[in-house]
Amino acid sequence: MRNILLSLVSVLIVSNCATNTNFEKISFKDINDTKEISQNPNDIIKDDLGSLKFNTSLFFSPWEIDNPHSWDNRNNEELRKEIIEASLKIKESYNEALVKKPLGEFEADLENANYDKLFTYKKPALISKNTNLRRLPTLRHYFDDPTTAGEGYPFDYGQESSLYLGTPVRISHYSKDKAWVFIFSNDKASGFVKVSDLVELTVKQAEEYKEHKLAVVIKENSPIYNNKGEFIEYLKIGSYLPVKFDLSTHSNKVLIPSNGKLEWVNVQNNYINSGFLEFNKENLSKIISELINTPYGWGGYLGNRDCSQFIKDIYASFGVYLPRNSRDQAEFFESVDIFNLSKDEKINFLKNNGKAFTTLIFKRGHIGIYAGEYNGKPIMLHDVWGVVLAKNKEKGRNIIGRSLFSYLDFGKELENYSNEDAFINKISKIIFLSEK
């Protein structure tokens, strides 16, 4: 995989630097933030965290609403139009070799999507393995023009999200070839998953499933096995699974969908917590330590996380189940619009009103967690692809590609740092997850 990535990057560098040899449009320089700010959560998180607004209403939502548009008052025809329009946006795309896709490939995928059958099946289901949620029924990439800054790898616009083992979804319909199924997820996402990656339930099974106590995963990529000792999947932080305590073995069992059925299986006690974690320094440090410095993954690519998935999974551990998209996250709780404030005014607002780890910072296309102050300056925890660079009218990226603690003006020391595009100048909303 590393060789493939290096080849892709080499193509990008050659194509992007040809017009201006004095401007390095793709770079991989370490930013000063990671040297100045401790990346150990125990050094950052304070004892007094306050409390979160507990909200898990989305988790079973696909099984509890009559129509998918009930989330936001759109009718089926409006939602159908939006789904199809989103697919049409990737019509002009590039494939995994960074070559322009033939139009026939897109048209074949669109035909197989079978959108005429949207909303016809309406069955509850569970994701049976960690899987990709795709805009069209294919795993083939849909990149935008790779010669454009911030495009190409890893931004596959055919990728909507990743879904974890045990995620409740609702089936809308099947693709024409029956290999894919269009689903509505529980975090306001929708798209295609492989038929082999979910288990359909009866209404009775879904109701019984909801009655169980839920456990949260606290150890990233911990393996789980069926009762024959066969590997099933790696558990991901951010997952919820029904749990019960087995007195005979003095260990927990979790209920998982596997091989077309539901099965109670053993799980190591240090992999999960029965019930939601208490929101305190020890637990928050434990969860963040599992996820800090992990690779960036657009839409959950390769099982990694992008900015909104990173935040979603951290807070899920504490009983706050957020939407998948950063824009929806910014609207899920109380927020204040600060877009028109100056940089200094934004910093002062955050210092005076934000509370560390219960406040989110949002700009269009990116979201992070306010982590308090470090050396007298506000810092954030986020998963980010890179820093925007600019020279004259050309733009580029310094790739970070991981989760980290940083200042709000991260990367400002870089040559050709674009002050105009800097996160600190683009902040538009502050979101409050804490109780009043």
Side-chain angles (χ1 to χ4, degrees), residues 31-39 44 292 350 361 366 368-374 377-384 386-387 400 402-413 423-424:
I31 59 173
N32 288 345
D33 301 55
T34 56
K35 303 168 189 174
E36 296 178 10
I37 302 172
S38 171
Q39 298 299 302
I44 304 295
I292 192 74
L350 194 54
I361 312 170
H366 192 58
I369 299 170
Y370 174 57
E373 294 183 39
Y374 199 87
K377 295 175 61 178
I379 61 172
M380 62 191 294
L381 173 66
H382 57 140
D383 206 326
V384 62
V387 181
I400 297 174
R402 66 184 187 277
S403 53
L404 74 162
F405 289 101
S406 78
Y407 296 117
L408 306 188
D409 54 358
F410 54 95
K412 70 175 184 179
E413 77 283 356
F423 178 81
I424 193 169

Side-chain angles (χ1 to χ4, degrees), residues 95-96 101 105 109 134 137-142 156 158:
N95 65 19
E96 57 273 20
K101 274 179 174 282
E105 183 177 332
D109 289 339
R134 302 291 295 172
T138 178
L139 290 177
R140 302 299 294 269
H141 298 300
Y142 274 87
D156 173 13

Side-chain angles (χ1 to χ4, degrees), residues 217-236:
V217 175
I218 58 174
K219 182 70 176 175
E220 177 74 353
N221 291 328
S222 46
I224 190 169
Y225 305 87
N226 65 18
N227 292 319
K228 296 179 181 179
E230 300 166 334
F231 173 80
I232 296 173
E233 188 52 276
Y234 291 107
L235 299 179
K236 303 286 287 183

Side-chain angles (χ1 to χ4, degrees), residues 49-56 58 279 284 288 307-308 310-323 325-336 349-350 353-362 367-371 381 429-436:
L49 287 175
S51 58
L52 290 171
K53 294 178 183 176
F54 183 88
N55 190 330
T56 59
L58 285 180
F279 190 63
L284 184 57
I288 293 175
C307 64
S308 54
F310 179 72
I311 287 174
K312 172 181 164 62
D313 290 350
I314 287 174
Y315 287 107
S317 306
F318 303 96
V320 180
Y321 201 81
L322 292 169
N325 181 280
S326 61
R327 180 187 59 210
D328 289 331
Q329 290 176 353
E331 297 174 354
F332 197 64
F333 285 126
E334 177 188 356
S335 65
V336 176
F349 181 90
L350 194 54
N353 298 280
K355 188 167 180 59
F357 296 100
T358 61
T359 301
L360 305 182
I361 312 170
F362 169 80
I367 193 166
I369 299 170
Y370 174 57
L381 173 66
K429 282 188 177 182
I430 303 297
I431 304 101
F432 301 101
L433 306 183
S434 57
E435 296 284 3
K436 289 285 187 182

Side-chain angles (χ1 to χ4, degrees), residues 24-91:
E24 191 176 16
K25 293 181 70 175
I26 302 291
S27 60
F28 298 89
K29 295 180 175 66
D30 289 335
I31 59 173
N32 288 345
D33 301 55
T34 56
K35 303 168 189 174
E36 296 178 10
I37 302 172
S38 171
Q39 298 299 302
N40 183 343
N42 285 298
D43 295 336
I44 304 295
I45 303 171
K46 308 301 182 185
D47 289 323
D48 181 19
L49 287 175
S51 58
L52 290 171
K53 294 178 183 176
F54 183 88
N55 190 330
T56 59
S57 60
L58 285 180
F59 187 67
F60 287 117
S61 58
W63 298 352
E64 296 172 341
I65 57 179
D66 293 329
N67 295 294
H69 65 258
S70 298
W71 277 317
D72 48 19
N73 299 316
R74 289 172 296 177
N75 61 43
N76 279 357
E77 286 310 308
E78 290 173 328
L79 189 54
R80 182 195 306 275
K81 181 180 178 181
E82 182 176 306
I83 290 168
I84 294 174
E85 285 180 348
S87 296
L88 291 173
K89 286 180 181 179
I90 62 174
K91 182 177 181 179

